[in-house]
Amino acid sequence: MGIPLDLLLEAVLFGILLGGFYAAVSMGLSVSFGLLDVPNVAHPAIMVLGSYCTFLLVRVGLDPIVAGILLMPAFFVLGMAVYRFYYEAFERRGTDAGVRGIAFFFGVALIIEVGLILAFGVDQRMVEAAYIGTSTRIGDVRIPLRMLVAFGVAVVMTVALTLYMSTTFIGRAIKAVAQDEPALRLMGADPVRVKQWAFGIATAVTALAGAMLIIVGPVEPGMDRVYIGRTFAVVVLAGLGSMTGTVAAGLILGISESVVMMHPDLGASWAPAVSFMLLLLMLGIRPQGLFGR
């Protein structure tokens, strides 16, 4: 049985907004994994940490978006510190850095999750704002404003990161370090410092993504496991390191999941499998991704 046309249009429209949100929460991973080749499987856990920090700031009267922006400098410093430890412990030694790095970042994710459980318990947390719980209509379709906000943030983050990477020296150095590290040294730039700066940017962006996460819905400490497959699927589907490709891949995943959820023979229980299916298809057909370097 197919989907009625009106439901299909509603699914596509909601999928576009959902895809913008997926792009927003995957942007930091696109930098850390896509450009730096750092196996940052702790990315969703850091995002959840950003959600809980946003929750604390909202309790003192700040808007969630403002809270996410204010958290970015602190998360930038956190990211630089995490990468420095990762470099000294794994990359500098060179042997099995990728495999051991995955274990390291799994450990980081576990520490964050346990720390959040100890601090906040296992209950879900949510925030309040004028655009949360309200909606607008486009024709006969009701659109949650919180999804429109997430989509708008994804667009702004994409434009900002794309301009930064293409118009500044450090941005071009971040791109270069992923392609030709010896050439970057000849230009007088330290690849380690460039990677450390880039990982700081990736973590700062993830803090803002955490604010988007708690705007879209309630969060709990183990929610990182829900998004680890989706974020990696978006980054691989986009092509490692492509900012605009991340938005396109997010839209593809969002629309695909939304259509699956609306399908009468499939439903919401099949939606989480969409990201892994797209990931496997892309790895088998076009490993470099849609916009891969």
Side-chain angles (χ1 to χ4, degrees):
M1 182 184 296
I3 306 177
L5 182 59
D6 56 338
L7 288 181
L8 180 61
L9 292 175
E10 183 177 349
V12 171
L13 183 56
F14 183 79
I16 291 173
L17 299 178
L18 181 63
F21 168 68
Y22 284 160
V25 301
S26 303
M27 204 64 68
L29 187 64
S30 182
V31 175
S32 61
F33 181 60
L35 288 175
L36 307 182
D37 297 325
V38 176
N40 185 16
V41 293
H43 167 81
I46 296 173
M47 179 175 65
V48 174
L49 176 62
S51 295
Y52 274 89
C53 292
T54 300
F55 168 76
L56 293 177
L57 292 179
V58 170
R59 292 182 67 183
V60 300
L62 292 178
D63 180 85
I65 299 175
V66 175
I69 294 173
L70 292 178
L71 286 170
M72 293 178 76
F75 273 68
F76 175 81
V77 175
L78 172 65
M80 292 187 71
V82 169
Y83 177 79
R84 193 70 198 189
F85 184 89
Y86 167 77
Y87 170 76
E88 296 293 343
F90 304 104
E91 273 195 351
R92 189 173 185 179
R93 300 180 182 182
T95 304
D96 296 331
V99 176
R100 297 185 181 187
I102 291 175
F104 166 72
F105 283 109
F106 264 121
V108 172
L110 181 61
I111 290 171
I112 291 174
E113 182 175 342
V114 171
L116 291 175
I117 291 173
L118 292 176
F120 297 94
V122 296
D123 295 334
Q124 292 183 332
R125 305 286 175 167
M126 62 183 68
V127 296
E128 295 182 358
Y131 44 83
I132 298 176
T134 59
S135 60
T136 185
R137 282 188 175 276
I138 300 178
D140 295 329
V141 180
R142 187 181 295 273
I143 303 297
L145 287 181
R146 66 184 188 274
M147 300 303 298
L148 287 174
V149 169
F151 184 83
V153 170
V155 173
V156 172
M157 287 170 61
T158 302
V159 172
L161 279 175
T162 301
L163 290 175
Y164 182 80
M165 293 293 182
S166 59
T167 61
T168 65
F169 174 79
I170 187 65
R172 291 191 292 268
I174 291 171
K175 287 184 176 182
V177 76
Q179 299 176 19
D180 196 340
E181 190 171 310
L184 186 63
R185 291 183 184 275
L186 294 176
M187 296 177 64
D190 183 355
V192 177
R193 291 187 178 181
V194 170
K195 287 185 175 183
Q196 188 175 13
W197 184 271
F199 199 87
I201 292 174
T203 309
V205 169
T206 305
L208 185 55
M212 293 302 100
L213 180 63
I214 200 170
I215 285 173
V216 168
V219 299
E220 49 91 13
M223 188 169 280
D224 59 306
R225 285 166 285 184
V226 175
Y227 284 93
I228 189 168
R230 289 183 171 101
T231 53
F232 272 91
V234 168
V235 172
V236 173
L237 185 63
L240 300 183
S242 173
M243 300 298 109
T244 54
T246 301
V247 174
L251 293 176
I252 292 172
L253 178 59
I255 293 172
S256 300
E257 280 197 4
S258 183
V259 170
V260 168
M261 284 189 290
M262 291 283 190
H263 198 285
D265 296 329
L266 297 175
S269 60
W270 282 92
V274 173
S275 57
F276 293 101
M277 181 188 69
L278 290 175
L279 179 61
L280 291 174
L281 285 175
M282 184 54 61
L283 289 174
I285 298 173
R286 186 178 168 84
Q288 70 270 35
L290 297 175
F291 299 87
R293 63 177 186 261

